Every structure is written in structure tokens, then in C-alpha cells.
Amino acid sequence: QVQLVESGGGSVQAGGSLRLSCAASVRTLRPYPMGWFRQAPGKEREFVAAISGSGGNTYYADSVKGRFTISRDNAKNTVYLQMNSLKPEDTAVYYCAGRATMAVTTTPNEYDYWGQGTQVTVSS
């Protein structure tokens, strides 16, 4: 069983930055594609970014492209989401997710493991 624990959320003013971390309790994170999703109040969970098991391929939602960067350190079993130029519409609970198969996907229900979420609030 894989457990994912997010950290790094908080409150920031528009234009600011935050870095989210997701620590995985596995012997090695290397094979697993990982993703970040978010859910704002009253909205469905949406894709933010994903990264392949090796870290060689990354994918982003259009709304965050150019502002957010996903990365991973497999030696530390940790995935990161660097968020720059934050906007009020980025306010949401951010979730880390992992897959048990090799293919990267942007669809939430195709992920097998989820963290508990971390709140990000951006004020104008």
C-alpha cells in the first residue's frame, strides 16, 4: 500500500509562490507516474500536472502552463509542484496522486493512490 503525504500549502497574495511536496511511503517511487490535482469548493477535481516515472515527461493543464512546474526526486521518494505567479483562481485543495501502472494520465479516476490534500489560498 502506498501512502502519500502532501505539505507546503498555505496562504499567499496574488503573484506569490508556493512549493508543494508529496512524500511517498514506498521503497522506491521510480516506476510510478505521479500527478497533482486540485479541487475548489463546489467544483470537480481537476488535473493540474503529471510526471512520468523517470521524470522525463511532464504534462500541464493549460491554466497553469508556464507558471507551475512539476518535478520529482526518486531518491527521496518525493514529488514537487512549484507554483509561481499565483492567481486567486488557483485557490483550492491540492492533491498528490500516484498510479500503479506505467502510463501517465490526466484523468483523476485512473490514479490509484491519493494524499489527504493541502489547502492553497491565493488572495487578491
Side-chain angles (χ1 to χ4, degrees):
Q1 183 70 13
V2 177
Q3 291 186 323
L4 304 175
V5 179
E6 302 99 334
S7 61
S11 297
V12 64
Q13 289 191 327
S17 298
L18 285 172
R19 188 175 83 153
L20 305 183
S21 298
C22 172
S25 62
V26 291
R27 187 169 63 87
T28 175
L29 192 59
R30 183 177 299 277
Y32 297 98
M34 301 292 294
W36 286 97
F37 294 81
R38 66 187 181 187
Q39 188 166 17
K43 295 188 177 181
E44 293 187 353
R45 191 168 297 189
E46 66 173 1
F47 168 73
V48 175
I51 188 167
S52 61
S54 66
N57 295 295
T58 56
Y59 307 83
Y60 297 94
D62 288 343
S63 59
V64 307
K65 203 171 293 183
R67 300 187 298 122
F68 291 11
T69 302
I70 188 171
S71 62
R72 64 192 298 158
D73 185 339
N74 286 338
K76 295 182 179 180
N77 285 344
T78 302
V79 178
Y80 305 97
L81 185 68
Q82 177 67 44
M83 305 185 295
N84 298 328
S85 302
L86 282 161
K87 304 175 181 180
E89 51 264 43
D90 293 319
T91 295
V93 177
Y94 283 71
Y95 297 90
C96 173
R99 292 200 81 199
T101 56
M102 296 299 184
V104 180
T105 178
T106 63
T107 305
N109 62 13
E110 294 182 353
Y111 280 79
D112 303 289
Y113 311 110
W114 290 87
Q116 81 288 351
T118 186
Q119 177 70 46
V120 171
T121 303
V122 184
S123 58
S124 58

